[in-house]
Amino acid sequence: KQWYQRRVRDHTFALLSRDGWQVPAAEIACDTRRVKIHTDQPGIHVYTGNYLDGTAQGKGGKVYGKHAGVALEAQNFPNAVNVKGFPDCILQPDQEYKRNITFSFEYSP
């Protein structure tokens, strides 16, 4: 509850995914734009620029302050290597790593 009250996001959320099946992971809408993310990863990490302090500059010299953006990262669970029951995250030399992430963008004026 504390992270919600402070409007801070730097957490991985569990998804109800299964190998080979993509599930809705996130949807962000703003005015006339919308982005949807589907993935077969077990989690999605949400980070909202908590530590941006106004010193980072982007295109055209635009300054990015605290919470100026959001990053959505489909991934395995943090610390999965140490937690029994979490999805396996170790890739052996003879294994192939293949996951799917689909981004769809919508615009409606």
Side-chain angles (χ1 to χ4, degrees):
K1 189 172 184 179
Q2 186 178 30
W3 63 269
Y4 181 77
Q5 292 171 340
R6 294 183 312 174
R7 300 180 63 129
V8 171
R9 306 291 186 276
D10 193 5
H11 300 278
T12 300
F13 294 90
L15 304 173
L16 298 173
S17 62
R18 300 183 312 197
D19 283 339
W21 293 88
Q22 290 195 33
V23 297
E27 181 174 331
I28 298 176
C30 171
D31 296 328
T32 59
R33 296 161 298 201
R34 178 183 312 272
V35 61
K36 296 179 183 178
I37 302 171
H38 288 74
T39 184
D40 60 358
Q41 289 278 32
I44 188 159
H45 193 87
V46 179
Y47 175 70
T48 56
N50 314 333
Y51 300 105
L52 294 174
D53 62 4
T55 59
Q57 289 189 3
K59 189 173 182 177
K62 180 173 174 59
V63 176
Y64 296 108
K66 190 171 188 173
H67 304 133
V70 62
L72 301 167
E73 305 165 1
Q75 61 184 31
N76 205 331
F77 299 134
N79 202 28
V81 68
N82 296 310
V83 180
K84 186 177 180 177
F86 275 13
D88 189 20
C89 65
I90 297 175
L91 187 66
Q92 300 300 328
D94 62 336
Q95 291 178 312
E96 179 182 15
Y97 181 79
K98 184 177 178 182
R99 289 293 190 168
N100 296 293
I101 304 169
T102 302
F103 294 87
S104 63
F105 299 89
E106 298 175 10
Y107 175 77
S108 52

